């Protein structure tokens, strides 16, 4: 049985500059998020290699633990802006789903202004300081005898905050659009876990 293609929302009532801004930011999140998703493959290969080497050849690696946590951390962190764009973050929905689209997006806009943007600016500022300090001192990991450098991994934190700040602008604009028009920019799927 064939399923119908999703209907592309019509945003003709938004100005061309508004549409272009939202679409460019969403495209940026897509171009950064999709390649990051592929980091799961080398991470899986590293875990598989470690399991096979440890259990079948009694030859554990000294590098697998560091590679796995750095790849998974990078995968998780750099994928958050893409997840935000795709409306994939967990949301407590007890009251929210019962509100009108305008009310939902008023709450979202308030959340972006007072919580999201300040938190991301804070994360960027302190994440950058920590990563730069790590680079300056040539910090290495003490989690394993391999002791790889960790500053590239630490730079993922301010980069994540930057990506989220950029995507947050698009999400705020989408909320403002919904407040003004009473229509969602993109339909949100409401999933029930039962």
């Amino acid at each position: 049985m064939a399923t119908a293609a999703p209907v592309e929302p019509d945003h003709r009532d938004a100005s061309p500059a508004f549409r272009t801004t939202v679409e460019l930011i969403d495209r940026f999140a897509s171009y950064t998020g999709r390649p990051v998703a592929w980091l799961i493959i080398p991470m899986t290969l590293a875990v598989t290699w470690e399991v096979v080497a440890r259990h079948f050849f009694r030859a554990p690696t000294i590098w697998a633990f560091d590679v796995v946590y750095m790849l998974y951390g990078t995968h998780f962190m750099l994928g958050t802006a893409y997840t935000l764009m795709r409306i994939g973050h967990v949301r407590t929905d007890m009251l929210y789903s019962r509100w009108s689209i305008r009310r939902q997006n008023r709450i979202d806009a308030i959340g972006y202004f007072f919580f999201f943007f300040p938190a991301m600016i804070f994360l960027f500022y302190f994440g950058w300081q920590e990563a730069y300090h790590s680079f300056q001192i040539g910090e290495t990991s003490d989690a394993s005898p391999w002791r790889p450098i960790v500053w590239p991994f630490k730079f993922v934190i301010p980069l994540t905050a930057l990506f989220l700040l950029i995507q947050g602008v698009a999400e705020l604009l989408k909320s403002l659009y919904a407040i003004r028009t009473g229509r969602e920019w993109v339909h949100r799927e409401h999933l029930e876990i039962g």
Side-chain angles (χ1 to χ4, degrees):
M1 180 168 117
T3 58
V7 177
E8 192 66 30
D10 180 14
H11 304 299
R12 282 181 280 186
D13 52 351
S15 73
F18 187 95
R19 278 195 318 265
T20 301
T21 301
V22 171
E23 289 167 2
L24 280 175
I25 293 173
D26 281 353
R27 200 170 303 130
F28 176 74
S30 187
Y31 285 142
T32 58
R34 288 175 189 235
V36 165
W38 288 97
L39 289 176
I40 205 73
I41 293 174
M43 187 202 79
T44 303
L45 291 173
V47 169
T48 303
W49 181 270
E50 172 63 14
V51 168
V52 169
R54 179 180 301 268
H55 292 290
F56 293 106
F57 301 112
R58 305 269 189 246
T61 65
I62 62 169
W63 53 266
F65 176 75
D66 291 302
V67 167
V68 169
Y69 85 74
M70 288 183 189
L71 283 174
Y72 183 68
T74 302
H75 173 263
F76 179 83
M77 296 283 289
L78 291 181
T80 56
Y82 177 76
T83 305
L84 181 61
M85 187 256 311
R86 301 288 299 182
I87 315 167
H89 289 285
V90 174
R91 176 187 300 263
T92 304
D93 213 17
M94 294 177 344
L95 298 173
Y96 189 88
S97 63
R98 295 186 177 125
W99 293 338
S100 70
I101 290 172
R102 281 192 169 98
R103 187 171 193 184
Q104 288 175 356
N105 284 278
R106 279 189 199 104
I107 299 297
D108 287 348
I110 290 168
Y112 281 113
F113 273 120
F114 293 106
F115 300 107
F116 181 82
F117 288 124
M120 290 306 108
I121 291 167
F122 179 85
L123 183 64
F124 178 81
Y125 178 76
F126 288 104
W128 177 265
Q129 285 187 333
E130 181 65 28
Y132 187 67
H133 177 70
S134 177
F135 172 74
Q136 285 180 314
I137 65 171
E139 184 180 6
T140 59
S141 171
D142 59 359
S144 75
W146 184 40
R147 299 188 62 82
I149 57 170
V150 293
W151 62 263
F153 180 59
K154 287 194 173 185
F155 271 105
V156 167
I157 296 168
L159 189 59
T160 295
L162 180 63
F163 286 0
L164 281 167
L165 279 167
I166 293 167
Q167 188 58 40
V169 169
E171 298 307 313
L172 176 62
L173 291 174
K174 292 172 190 177
S175 290
L176 296 175
Y177 172 84
I179 292 167
R180 185 175 61 81
T181 64
R183 292 192 322 271
E184 296 172 311
W185 186 267
V186 175
H187 177 66
R188 297 179 182 179
E189 290 293 325
H190 299 285
L191 300 175
E192 295 288 329
I193 299 175

